[in-house]
Amino acid sequence: MPTLILAIAELFGTALWFTPNAVLPELMALWSLAPSDLGWLTGAVQGGFLLGTLIIGLTGLADRLDASRLFAACCLLGALSNALLPMAGGLDGAVTLRMITGLCLAGIYPVGMKLMVGWTPGRSGLGLAWLVGMLVLGTALPHGLRAFTALDDVTLSWRGGIWSASLLAVLGGIMVWRLGEAPRQADAAPGADSGTKPGPNSGHGLRLGGLSAFGISNFRHAASAYFGHMWELYTLWALLPLMLAARWPSLTTAELAFAAFALIAVGGPCCWIGGAFSARLGSRRVAQFALAGSGLCCALYPLLSGLPAAGLIGFLALWSALAVVDSPQFSALSATACPANIVGSALTLQNAIGFAISMLSLLILIPLWQITGPWLAWLLLPGPLLGLWCLHGYTRY
């Protein structure tokens, strides 16, 4: 039951992240924004998240404070900043509010992972798979909303959509507040999930926050593999609508949005399936399989982009699923490599670096689509290859 509560609360809390994406046309009309202004709106929340994860990861707040209370407080503040968005009055106010929302999300997503690790001792790969699967569905949700509101006979209040997301975040915060902290795992040996042993620096306290985790060999390998995975994941998701539009230029807005929603959302249940396999095979093997699979898709896509409709949609769905199945397993491997007193800070800092890499990948690669077309997939390939190489050094005992 705690696993389900945390997974649903994570979905509700992270709804703040993506919901405004579904109403960008309405915001553009309301504030007379140019298309170039949208980068500020979408980038502000990412920048806030990056700043927040760096603060939490470096100061050790996720391990110094009651994680469930921190999660709940961030849900409430994030819900408020999101609810105020329709009253922002223009781009400057909206960017400020989205930055605040991003800061709050830093206390929701990675702190939720710490809570899940605490509530699922010995099976964190499965628990985190449920949590990340919910995040994947949240990522796909704006495309689903956009497909729905693009239908000719549907008229919805865009303000109501934003406020509904804030209400969900409040409910998520209340759920975790009532759940509270997991039973103390301080005496549990790190590595119970994957059979790993703490590194030589596992006795480090919180003086360096999450930085001390990089003194642990297995954490470095798992985190570095995660960084390679992040080079590919979000850029792939951003490319999916472009890939579809390039293959079928006649798609309507609703059709394109629904297809993008389906291709991203498929990763949610696939994460849950991967979590079930991790309980039997271990997180390392599941992550290696997914990295190899997504890397192969990167290599093959330029050669297969002309497939018939059913074949290409199936290929893109497989690629999208493989690219995210390993995400919770990296976090499980990182968590089990660390002593309990720095897990929250280590995971938060890992997220900070990973999302910085994803932002860099988006900024560098997306503009190249107009030049390279399908061959851009080969520039995603170094991510999975780096991940495989790093996981090879993850020690099994």
Side-chain angles (χ1 to χ4, degrees), residues 7-303:
I8 294 174
E10 187 82 4
L11 174 62
F12 288 174
T14 54
L16 300 173
W17 205 328
F18 308 106
T19 298
N21 292 6
V23 297
L24 286 178
E26 289 80 3
L27 295 179
M28 289 179 68
L30 179 66
W31 298 325
S32 302
L33 301 180
S36 58
D37 294 328
L38 300 182
W40 289 98
L41 276 179
T42 55
V45 67
Q46 295 293 90
F49 179 81
L50 176 58
L51 178 61
T53 49
L54 283 173
I55 292 172
I56 294 175
L58 292 174
T59 60
L61 285 177
D63 298 299
R64 295 177 185 274
L65 303 178
D66 186 315
S68 62
R69 301 300 187 259
L70 177 60
F71 183 102
C74 288
C75 280
L76 295 178
L77 181 57
L80 177 61
S81 64
N82 186 69
L84 292 174
L85 188 61
M87 286 82 81
L91 182 62
D92 291 342
V95 167
T96 300
L97 288 171
R98 294 304 288 158
M99 177 73 76
I100 294 172
T101 303
L103 284 166
C104 294
L105 284 164
I108 297 174
Y109 176 41
V111 173
M113 289 197 295
K114 183 208 172 176
L115 287 165
M116 184 64 82
V117 169
W119 278 104
T120 55
R123 50 191 178 90
S124 57
L126 178 59
L128 289 170
W130 276 96
L131 189 147
V132 174
M134 289 295 189
L135 179 65
V136 173
L137 295 181
T139 303
L141 185 60
H143 294 286
L145 291 174
R146 189 67 192 131
F148 188 63
T149 57
L151 297 174
D152 293 337
D153 57 345
V154 176
T155 302
L156 296 178
S157 167
W158 65 271
R159 292 179 178 84
I162 289 178
W163 292 335
S164 296
S166 291
L167 177 60
L168 289 176
V170 171
L171 290 176
I174 293 172
M175 290 167 64
V176 172
W177 181 287
R178 291 180 60 85
L179 179 65
E181 296 291 295
R184 286 288 179 184
Q185 299 296 324
D187 296 332
D193 178 72
S194 301
T196 60
K197 295 180 181 179
N201 298 316
S202 60
H204 285 192
L206 299 176
R207 64 184 183 277
L208 294 176
L211 279 177
S212 60
F214 284 92
I216 303 171
S217 176
N218 272 352
F219 178 85
R220 288 197 305 273
H221 285 289
S224 298
Y226 171 76
F227 300 153
H229 148 86
M230 289 296 281
W231 175 261
E232 176 195 19
L233 179 62
Y234 278 86
T235 301
L236 172 61
W237 281 347
L239 284 171
L240 286 174
L242 301 178
M243 292 172 173
L244 293 169
R247 182 65 176 82
W248 297 286
S250 61
L251 287 177
T252 66
T253 298
E255 290 169 341
L256 184 61
F258 179 78
F261 163 76
L263 289 176
I264 296 174
V266 71
C270 288
C271 277
W272 304 333
I273 294 172
F277 274 104
S278 74
R280 302 181 62 180
L281 304 176
S283 293
R284 182 174 179 266
R285 288 184 178 177
V286 172
Q288 287 175 319
F289 174 81
L291 284 168
S294 66
L296 184 61
C297 289
C298 290
L300 292 179
Y301 174 70
L303 309 176

